[in-house]
């Protein structure tokens, strides 16, 4: 009897639980959608969204499906627009690298940096013992790469100094940890250095160099043998066609660093920008803005010379004169509740921006930079005489590190920034095509 009663009680509780779940409605709040977007883009299936990878394709498919769910049409009958991504490299058949007689794996243990010149890395050397006409072993802890947003630029510039001081080659040693490792699919382009430049990742350093530091020297023997390899990147473009004479571009890059043994999720950089982009697109569709046509673009290729943004411009040269402005959403996920600072770049690229952003601002502490030149896709649009506005919550200490994950994201803050961005579109809907202004070039090293 007792068993029967317990069984009935168990069934009753189960039915109650089922009924409760049936009554519960899915959370379709803006913040919940933002969290879901970021969670997917940061998931293992997206593999860190490295341009040209399967993970990038997974992310592109997700963004395409989100645009479809918002009932925003593709641009010219397709959402995904391929471009040739120059940044990868592949090994020649005769390439090798050895420490003493131990062979290292080129492409994982050892990365040959493509701006280096020459085929041979050979010598007997020790870290920080820098002899002319010998390979120089440089621990990266000496360069403090972890304190900068441009570690590859520092590696390039230091290698240039080594070449000027008669080094025959440079071998960088990652004596820190795997978060500082490089991958052959994520190498930035720089001016050529007249000697071979090589990077040894953390695990190889621990196995092959560190145990030999008490010896008289370390034998290094390697042959370059890499070739450039073009990959396919893809931009995802949705389009609201109002048959208007002018258009507005709203963009955010979705690619990141990938998985080098550690997954670089890139929650703030820049899953947050993509989530904001989708939120702005949803508002623009819902509120039926009509004065302009609207391109909503998730760009790839950012991590290597912002190639996706440049590809969009190259593929659409014929429409550039009809673009009123470009708004870029980059790293918008770290709005601080007590100190809501928002950084705006490009405010000087049109006389309309200054009064407009102040008018729609509802409580942000705006940090305004007038220049249209900076590290973002907006840079390429500015050089085509298009007014630009870059919106960001700023760089963080874990920029381009594995610690940039979704736990640190302020989803409500992203929605606030999306609302601010939409309010800008709504104000622009009352105006004609924006006037373009040239601004002071504060970053002359950036290429057009």
């Amino acid at each position: 009897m007792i068993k029967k009663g317990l069984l009935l009680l168990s069934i009753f509780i189960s039915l109650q639980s089922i009924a409760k779940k049936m009554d519960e409605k899915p959370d379709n709040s803006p913040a919940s959608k933002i969290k879901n977007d970021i969670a997917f883009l940061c998931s293992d299936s997206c593999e860190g969204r490295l341009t040209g990878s399967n993970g990038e394709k997974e992310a592109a498919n997700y963004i395409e499906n989100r645009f479809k769910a918002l009932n925003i049409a593709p641009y010219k009958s397709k959402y995904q627009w391929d471009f040739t991504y120059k940044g990868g490299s592949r090994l020649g058949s005769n390439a090798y690298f050895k420490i003493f007689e131990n062979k290292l794996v080129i492409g994982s243990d050892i990365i040959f940096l493509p701006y280096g010149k020459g085929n041979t890395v050979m010598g007997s050397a020790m870290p920080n013992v820098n002899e002319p006409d010998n390979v120089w072993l440089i621990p990266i802890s000496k360069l403090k790469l972890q304190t900068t947003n441009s570690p590859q630029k520092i590696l390039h510039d230091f290698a240039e100094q080594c070449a000027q001081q008669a080094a025959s080659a440079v071998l960088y040693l990652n004596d820190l940890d795997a978060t500082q490792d490089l991958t052959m699919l994520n190498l930035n382009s720089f001016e050529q250095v007249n000697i071979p430049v090589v990077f040894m990742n953390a695990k190889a350093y621990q196995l092959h160099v560190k145990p030999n530091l008490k010896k008289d020297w370390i034998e290094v023997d390697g042959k370059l043998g890499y070739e450039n390899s073009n990959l396919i990147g893809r931009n995802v473009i949705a389009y609201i066609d109002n048959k208007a004479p002018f258009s507005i571009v709203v963009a955010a890059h979705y690619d990141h660093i990938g998985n080098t043994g550690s997954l670089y999720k890139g929650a703030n950089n820049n899953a947050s920008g993509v989530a904001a982009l989708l939120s702005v697109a949803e508002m623009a569709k819902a509120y039926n803005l009509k004065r302009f046509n609207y391109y909503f673009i998730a760009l790839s290729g950012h991590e290597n010379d912002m190639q996706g943004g440049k590809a969009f411009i190259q593929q659409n040269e014929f429409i550039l004169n009809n673009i009123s402005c470009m708004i870029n959403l980059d790293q918008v996920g770290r709005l601080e509740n007590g100190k809501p600072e928002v950084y705006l770049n490009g405010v000087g690229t049109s006389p309309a921006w200054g009064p407009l952003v102040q008018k729609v601002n509802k409580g942000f502490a705006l940090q305004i930079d007038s220049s249209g030149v900076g590290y973002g896709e907006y840079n390429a649009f500015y050089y085509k005489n298009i007014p630009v506005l870059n919106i960001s919550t700023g760089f963080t200490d874990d920029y381009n590190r594995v610690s940039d994950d979704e736990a640190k994201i302020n989803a409500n803050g992203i929605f606030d920034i999306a609302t601010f961005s939409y309010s800008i579109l709504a104000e622009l809907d009352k105006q004609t095509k924006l006037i373009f202004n040239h601004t002071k070039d504060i970053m002359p090293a950036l290429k057009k």
Side-chain angles (χ1 to χ4, degrees):
M1 190 70 180
I2 294 173
K3 288 183 178 178
K4 187 177 180 181
L6 290 172
L7 178 61
L8 289 171
L9 180 62
S10 176
I11 293 171
F12 177 72
I13 292 171
S14 296
L15 289 172
Q16 274 193 323
S17 177
I18 291 168
K20 185 178 179 182
K21 287 181 179 178
M22 290 177 68
D23 288 338
E24 289 177 355
K25 295 180 179 179
D27 184 357
N28 287 321
S29 67
S32 180
K33 292 177 184 177
I34 285 167
K35 287 178 182 177
N36 291 338
D37 290 335
I38 292 174
F40 184 85
L41 294 172
C42 293
S43 66
D44 291 346
S45 62
C46 287
E47 301 174 350
R49 310 185 305 277
L50 183 68
T51 304
S53 69
N54 290 330
E56 181 221 32
K57 188 172 184 179
E58 189 80 9
N61 290 339
Y62 175 84
I63 296 167
E64 175 179 331
N65 288 331
R66 285 283 282 117
F67 280 135
K68 288 178 178 176
L70 296 175
N71 198 29
I72 302 178
Y75 176 48
K76 291 186 175 179
S77 78
K78 66 178 181 179
Y79 288 100
Q80 296 190 34
W81 287 75
D82 293 351
F83 62 92
T84 301
Y85 173 70
K86 300 175 182 179
S89 53
R90 60 174 175 241
L91 300 176
S93 58
N94 58 351
Y96 69 89
F97 196 94
K98 296 190 294 184
I99 298 293
F100 293 106
E101 292 304 315
N102 299 310
K103 286 190 176 181
L104 281 67
V105 179
I106 301 176
S108 58
D109 295 332
I110 289 291
I111 309 294
F112 280 98
L113 302 184
Y115 51 78
K117 179 182 178 182
N119 291 315
T120 302
V121 180
M122 184 179 292
S124 301
M126 288 297 287
N128 298 318
V129 179
N130 302 330
E131 300 176 331
D133 301 317
N134 197 9
V135 57
W136 288 15
L137 310 186
I138 308 296
I140 66 168
S141 58
K142 174 180 178 180
L143 305 181
K144 299 181 179 179
L145 299 185
Q146 68 275 27
T147 65
T148 177
N149 292 326
S150 305
Q152 292 195 44
K153 180 70 164 57
I154 289 178
L155 294 176
H156 168 268
D157 292 352
F158 192 84
E160 214 167 36
Q161 294 175 29
C162 295
Q164 292 169 3
Q165 296 174 45
S168 64
V170 172
L171 172 57
Y172 288 116
L173 306 172
N174 183 357
D175 58 336
L176 295 173
D177 56 62
T179 65
Q180 303 300 318
D181 284 350
L182 297 182
T183 167
M184 293 181 75
L185 291 175
N186 189 40
L187 301 178
N188 293 340
S189 300
F190 297 101
E191 292 182 7
Q192 188 176 75
V193 175
N194 288 323
I195 57 175
V197 184
V198 188
F199 190 97
M200 179 182 291
N201 282 329
K203 185 177 179 181
Y205 170 80
Q206 293 294 331
L207 288 174
H208 301 292
V209 174
K210 190 173 180 180
N212 294 308
L213 291 177
K214 293 184 178 179
K215 293 186 177 182
D216 292 336
W217 61 80
I218 295 172
E219 292 284 352
V220 180
D221 181 12
K223 185 173 182 180
L224 182 60
Y226 77 85
E227 303 165 345
N228 290 332
S229 175
N230 292 336
L231 302 170
I232 299 299
R234 45 191 65 81
N235 295 327
V236 188
I237 309 176
Y239 183 55
I240 296 176
D241 185 3
N242 289 320
K243 309 301 181 185
F246 302 113
S247 300
I248 291 174
V249 173
V250 186
H253 80 86
Y254 73 95
D255 66 300
H256 196 49
I257 294 174
N259 190 334
T260 64
S262 299
L263 179 63
Y264 287 78
K265 294 184 175 184
N268 189 45
N269 183 25
N270 188 36
S272 68
V274 176
L277 171 73
L278 292 167
S279 189
V280 174
E282 183 173 9
M283 286 185 251
K285 180 71 175 178
Y287 292 110
N288 208 23
L289 300 180
K290 287 293 187 182
R291 187 177 290 273
F292 296 94
N293 309 310
Y294 295 92
Y295 295 87
F296 296 99
I297 312 176
L299 295 162
S300 192
H302 170 91
E303 300 295 347
N304 191 346
D305 202 28
M306 291 159 278
Q307 293 182 44
K310 293 176 180 179
F312 174 80
I313 287 173
Q314 291 168 358
Q315 292 167 351
N316 295 279
E317 286 278 356
F318 61 96
I319 68 164
L320 296 183
N321 288 336
N322 297 327
I323 295 178
S324 178
C325 62
M326 185 269 195
I327 297 173
N328 193 54
L329 297 159
D330 193 359
Q331 301 180 70
V332 295
R334 299 287 186 86
L335 191 70
E336 295 184 27
N337 292 324
K339 190 182 179 183
E341 290 187 333
V342 172
Y343 295 82
L344 302 179
N345 306 89
V347 176
T349 61
S350 175
W353 285 136
L356 192 156
V357 298
Q358 296 295 350
K359 180 178 179 179
V360 304
N361 182 31
K362 304 296 183 185
F364 293 139
L366 298 180
Q367 306 298 319
I368 291 176
D369 174 25
S370 63
S371 178
V373 179
Y375 189 71
E377 278 72 13
Y378 65 95
N379 190 67
F381 286 80
Y382 168 76
Y383 281 123
K384 292 296 182 179
N385 297 335
I386 296 170
V388 296
L389 186 69
N390 184 65
I391 303 173
S392 177
T393 53
F395 284 102
T396 64
D397 290 340
D398 51 13
Y399 172 79
N400 279 2
R401 297 186 187 174
V402 293
S403 55
D404 177 12
D405 60 33
E406 57 269 49
K408 298 175 182 176
I409 292 297
N410 181 349
N412 288 317
I414 293 175
F415 180 64
D416 289 342
I417 289 173
T419 302
F420 172 71
S421 303
Y422 169 75
S423 298
I424 292 172
L425 294 184
E427 281 297 315
L428 290 172
D429 202 55
K430 303 171 186 176
Q431 303 189 28
T432 57
K433 183 184 179 186
L434 295 190
I435 296 170
F436 172 77
N437 279 346
H438 285 285
T439 61
K440 184 178 180 182
D441 189 346
I442 61 170
M443 296 179 68
L446 284 174
K447 297 179 180 177
K448 299 181 184 180

